[in-house]
Amino acid sequence: MKVIRYIVLRLLLRKRQDSKVSKMNECICLEHTEKYTSLIFTGKKMAYQKVGADQRAPGHSQYLDNDDLQATALDLEWDMEKELEEPGFDQFQLNSAEHQNLENSETADLNLDPIQPATSPKGRFQRLQEESDYVTHYTRSAPKSNSCNFCRLLKIFCTAIILFISGILIGYYSRKNCPSNATSSGTLDLQLYQEILKTIQAEDIKKSFRNLVQLYKSEDDTEISKKIKTQWTTLGLEDVQLVNYSVLLNLPGLFPSSVTLISSGQCFHPNGQPCSEEARKWSSQDLLYSYAAYSASGILEAEVIDVSYGNADDLKRIKKMKNVTNRIALLKLGKLPLLYKLSLLEKTGFGGVLLYIDPCDLPKTANLSSNTFMVSLNPGGDPSTPGYPSIGGSFRQNRSNLTSLLVQPISASLVAKLISLPKDRTTNGACSPLELPNNEERIVNMKIQTVTKFETVANVVGYLKGLTFPDRYVIVGSHHHTAHSYNRQEWASSTAIITTFIRALMLRVKRGWRPDRTIVFCSWGGTAFGNIGSYEWGEDFKKVLQRNAVAYISLHSPVRGNSSLHSVASPSLQQLVAEKNKFNCPRRGQCLETNISSEQMQDDADYFINHLGVPTMRFTYEDIKTLEGPSFLSEALFPKHATKIEEMDPFFNLHETITKLSGEVILQIANEPVLPFNALDIALEVQNSLKGVQANTPQLLALASRLRESAELFQSDEMRPANDPKERAPIRVRMLNDILQDMEKSFLVQHAPPGFYRNILYHLDGKTSQFSILLEAWERCKSLASNETLQEALSEVLNSINAAQVYFKAGLDVFESVLVGKN
């Protein structure tokens, strides 16, 4: 009878336990799969398995950590074992061999196989068999009386009834109180984001801006970097570092450059004012910094030839009319990258360049005709350590100039004097572009003096460590004032925005919240000289960033006008940016919903786009006239009085909008379980970039079609299920995110023309949709007898599209293999 009773009680206990656990298991609602721990049942075996990070959402511990339930079950099982060991049961003892088989059978039933310990917020999950005193449960006890046996049976029966009723009640109320799937994690996240962003106020940005503007008047960039570091640390940002690099800067000489008109003997400074001893003695910074950094120095006297914007057609036309060897080109800024145009002029044989901005290319509100400006001829980073960081022991190259041309920026008013044009050039209200007549000759003497020296450039880098994926970085960058450059206000504008966002974020962090991924806040130095700070830091941490960088959010020069919100984003991020624009535009009727493009940005995002293939975005307020005019005018750096931030945005409402839009994008990328990138948009961008290109080939079109098919399959088969919490598996989400963050790396070409992005997904401007390197190669092919350059460009594009198609296909194969392996 005892055997029968034992078997019945064993079955009853297991039934109650299974019923209890199944009811609990049904109500464990997974809100973030990567953070939860699940119960896994296989037949009669029960084991804990860790499937996410060592964190658990509130409200779930009542199901997973019921120690009382485990203890009761243990006591019940122990009591049954002891009863079977009482006297009178000896007749049921088997021989040694049979007894060993019985032990093995019970051991299998209790799942005594070794398991790997897993961890949780409350420590390692313990199996009953792993307890240190578990062996004492099977020691023989002293004989008991029959009355005690009856009491023990009654106790067991009552315990079983209580467990059964408790299980029903817990299951009922747990099912009733379990959050509905309709309340998605996305809704909860959106509420969290809004709580963070509502603490961002325009008045706080304005106060920070004014403090920073006052700061640079008495401090150099190193001291400003230290002040920014102190401020970020005070706000609570953890692990704020000051990263310094000794780099080669090209600075103006003791006296400003000059341009002398030989026919009249008149000498002019770059701003158009006549030369004088007083001006030379008391040269203002505006005059001194009207120069091209890393230009050749010296004196050149030659004829001035108007080359307009300096594209291939302009040079082809001029070469037919005149000998251009060692001549001085009168060049307009805009339409094409300056470095590209200078490379064409250098190959053509020019010896010098007078660079200016045509007033007709600027908004009417921007009266910059007499203003001088600075440009940098540095493609990026420290020129003395190209391709590697400027750290101790690095080999330093002597590169005082990066071009053989003597390049001098001048004002539009000086151009008008050189070509003898009247001051009023408007005709019927229309602006007449500056132009030197072909039948007139102008000979000038240009004198350029610069010096090179090693200076310290400082970056401020602060980390907000992620909770689930601390090894994945969302990088947010702005820039601060650099010594020996124009004291513009734009740096204070971007620094005030990033500081205000940090303040809002840390208020929430102090209440216990953290993003899933690490957010890295960066304030770059040396931006005016060719994004030196960001390049050196990127080269220094290249291996880490290649693996860990997820996205780069630029806050460079956020307010350049007040008429239009302009968004620049990688193709994979355009859908996310469009959602933010739609949210903002109804409140601002002047926003253009279609004003989102993947165009080249003249800021510190350069390294992350062209050397790391990191998805990037930036919100900026611009003047509509600037957007409609020639691009690349932002390569000119005007003095402080040309940038009137408080006149364009007196109440700093535009700054607040930029901060909130950028902040929400940052939070979504840093906190969404699946990165909000769109694979299919990249394939569509590739197909659009091949439309209208004269050099289209069947191979290119076929590859683009296959890329689109692979991207569609990837997006429907892998991204769609991963965005459903019920279908989300942590290992598959991690694999998916790894693929999403590296999508753009396939489009980094080895060779690109000077000034062109190596990432071919970015266009020269927002008005052209074709691949930039193909357009450039086609233009050069028209002026050259050979089409070798065109064939090389076609090969670069074809290989990039093929690499992307193979990348998506390999990702699909890996997911399929994982799925088959699990089945």
Side-chain angles (χ1 to χ4, degrees), residues 627-672:
L627 296 173
E628 294 173 349
S631 57
F632 298 100
L633 294 180
S634 60
E635 291 182 315
L637 305 179
F638 284 95
K640 58 183 179 181
H641 54 77
T643 309
K644 303 174 182 178
I645 298 295
E646 294 202 55
E647 289 184 13
M648 291 186 292
D649 188 19
F651 302 105
F652 278 72
N653 292 326
L654 302 183
H655 285 75
E656 180 183 332
T657 300
I658 294 290
T659 310
K660 290 185 175 181
L661 290 174
S662 302
E664 191 168 355
V665 170
I666 294 166
L667 289 170
Q668 283 196 242
I669 298 175
N671 212 54
E672 294 295 322

Side-chain angles (χ1 to χ4, degrees), residues 229-245:
K229 177 181 182 295
T230 302
Q231 189 174 22
W232 289 5
T233 303
T234 303
L235 292 175
L237 193 61
E238 57 202 32
D239 192 17
V240 184
Q241 304 171 3
L242 196 64
V243 188
N244 297 328
Y245 298 98

Side-chain angles (χ1 to χ4, degrees), residues 167-214:
I168 293 176
L169 293 176
I170 292 175
Y172 173 80
Y173 285 106
S174 298
R175 184 183 298 274
K176 183 177 180 180
N177 297 327
C178 188
S180 171
N181 288 335
T183 306
S184 64
S185 61
T187 303
L188 298 177
D189 288 340
L190 185 59
Q191 294 174 354
L192 172 67
Y193 304 157
Q194 294 307 316
E195 287 181 11
I196 294 173
L197 298 177
K198 72 180 181 181
T199 61
I200 297 173
Q201 301 295 328
E203 192 61 35
D204 294 333
I205 304 175
K206 185 176 183 178
K207 181 187 296 185
S208 179
F209 171 83
R210 288 182 172 177
N211 290 337
L212 290 167
V213 168
Q214 293 297 321

